[in-house]
Amino acid sequence: MIENMAALEKRIYRSYWEDGLLDLFAAIGVLIVGVSWAFDFPVGGVLAPALLIPIWRPVRDKLIEPRLGRVEFGDSREHRSRALLRTSVYAGAGLLVLVVVAYLGRDGVGTLAVADLVAALPALLLAVMAVLASVLVASPRFVIYAGVLVLAGIAGALQGLEPGRILLEAGAFIFCVAVVLLARFLRANPVQEAVRR
Amino acid sequence: MSERAAPEIPAVDELLHEPARLKLLAILSVVKRTDFTYLLRISGLSKGNLSVQMSRLSDAELVVIDKSFQGNRPRTMYQLTQAGRQALRAYKKNMLAILEALPD
């Protein structure tokens, strides 16, 4: 029995994001940021939202909605989501600047261990974004991705890997999970034939 | 000797008292609007049953139906009306009163 209507709304909202498409976009975003770091052009990471955000709605309309259907949530949910999205964008931009500055100035950092961990910063930044995404879509799955990014960041940095390589490895893992989720969703949910009254 | 009046039992709206319709109204009460496919998935009802129940709710003006096309696909969106929201509120109040009056 559903305990209250807020729980029902949350359950419906969460189910809206369980198809794996957002996970796939997140993984591609991490991979784009990883490639840009690998080519020593970290600012190129801004290409990820610039490329992915415009195609999100058309892809979802084409791939997911014929199977899942369409739902529009109430104003309070929309306001909350928009506010959190705004916070995420500002926090992400601010943290990206900090990360780039810290990475470029890593040679001036006193101890070797701290200098090594600087390579983990981009992954840690994306982990923060993943936690915010988790709140945004009311799904603990993105907390797991955040954990993967943190682990990959710290482990990779301690092994002396470059940030790009760390992000590519973490991104590849998230990509695989996303593909499995999406494939499972597509298989389990064939396109519904239109039903008219 | 004075007779004690029987406690008044609130009337229950029979249109809402049907489990499938109540479920659909509960779903519609927590979202702004949704289409047939989404309701089908989230409610677990069959297409035929969902179609019939939504027709009844629409005929009673508890739900408003908006039909349109997205590309070449027809889309039917459902939204709870103000009357639907009030009916749901009254149903809850009446049911709570009845359940409260039941002996333990």
Side-chain angles (χ1 to χ4, degrees):
Chain A
M1 177 76 187
I2 293 150
E3 57 274 24
N4 59 47
M5 300 314 273
L8 174 63
E9 195 267 351
K10 192 172 178 182
R11 194 165 66 89
I12 291 173
Y13 184 72
R14 188 187 296 166
S15 76
Y16 183 74
W17 300 103
E18 281 175 353
D19 48 71
L21 187 65
L22 186 66
D23 308 57
L24 189 67
F25 270 61
I28 293 171
V30 173
L31 291 173
I32 290 174
V33 176
V35 168
S36 65
W37 277 87
F39 283 94
D40 270 340
F41 185 59
V43 182
V46 297
L47 282 176
L51 287 173
L52 296 174
I53 290 173
I55 61 167
W56 163 257
R57 178 46 65 187
V59 173
R60 191 168 171 92
D61 283 352
K62 192 87 185 163
L63 197 64
I64 305 299
E65 285 198 355
R67 294 171 165 85
L68 179 70
R70 186 181 187 90
V71 60
E72 294 168 13
F73 292 93
D75 291 339
S76 64
R77 171 66 74 179
E78 296 287 334
H79 288 152
R80 255 182 298 159
S81 298
R82 244 178 254 137
L84 194 59
L85 201 59
R86 241 191 334 264
T87 307
S88 305
V89 169
Y90 292 144
L95 285 171
L96 179 66
V97 171
L98 282 177
V99 166
V100 172
V101 168
Y103 186 72
L104 295 177
R106 67 189 184 283
D107 294 337
V109 178
T111 65
L112 188 62
V114 173
D116 285 345
L117 281 177
V118 169
L121 284 179
L124 298 181
L125 158 69
L126 292 178
V128 172
M129 303 302 286
V131 171
L132 288 170
S134 167
V135 177
L136 192 66
V137 301
S139 166
R141 214 166 52 246
F142 280 80
V143 175
I144 296 171
Y145 298 152
V148 168
L149 284 160
V150 169
L151 281 178
I154 293 172
L158 291 177
Q159 286 172 28
L161 298 181
E162 289 295 310
R165 172 86 187 276
I166 294 169
L167 290 176
L168 288 173
E169 288 183 4
F173 174 82
I174 298 169
F175 185 84
C176 292
V177 173
V179 167
V180 169
L181 283 174
L182 189 58
R184 199 190 298 166
F185 172 82
L186 296 178
R187 209 171 34 240
N189 298 280
V191 175
Q192 295 287 339
E193 283 175 35
V195 176
R196 297 196 219 195
R197 286 180 64 221
Chain B
M1 198 173 100
S2 65
E3 275 185 41
R4 280 180 63 188
E8 199 175 309
I9 300 172
V12 172
D13 188 334
E14 287 181 18
L15 184 71
L16 274 70
H17 199 56
E18 200 281 324
R21 285 195 289 271
L22 189 57
K23 190 184 221 178
L24 293 169
L25 287 173
I27 293 167
L28 288 170
S29 73
V30 295
V31 299
K32 190 189 277 179
R33 52 189 216 138
T34 177
D35 71 358
F36 188 90
T37 308
Y38 198 83
L39 271 181
L40 190 68
R41 271 181 55 93
I42 207 90
S43 68
L45 300 179
S46 68
K47 281 183 187 176
N49 193 10
L50 176 58
S51 190
V52 167
Q53 303 305 350
M54 291 314 292
S55 296
R56 293 218 177 124
L57 293 172
S58 167
D59 292 343
E61 297 183 349
L62 301 183
V63 165
V64 66
I65 298 175
D66 175 25
K67 292 187 175 192
S68 62
F69 276 84
Q70 194 191 24
N72 55 0
R73 286 178 65 84
R75 165 166 287 165
T76 306
M77 297 292 287
Y78 300 96
Q79 185 171 12
L80 195 64
T81 61
Q82 200 53 41
R85 211 166 282 282
Q86 278 169 5
L88 204 53
R89 214 172 286 137
Y91 175 83
K92 181 182 170 185
K93 189 179 159 199
N94 291 344
M95 280 304 292
L96 284 174
I98 292 169
L99 293 172
E100 195 63 37
L102 285 177
D104 291 331

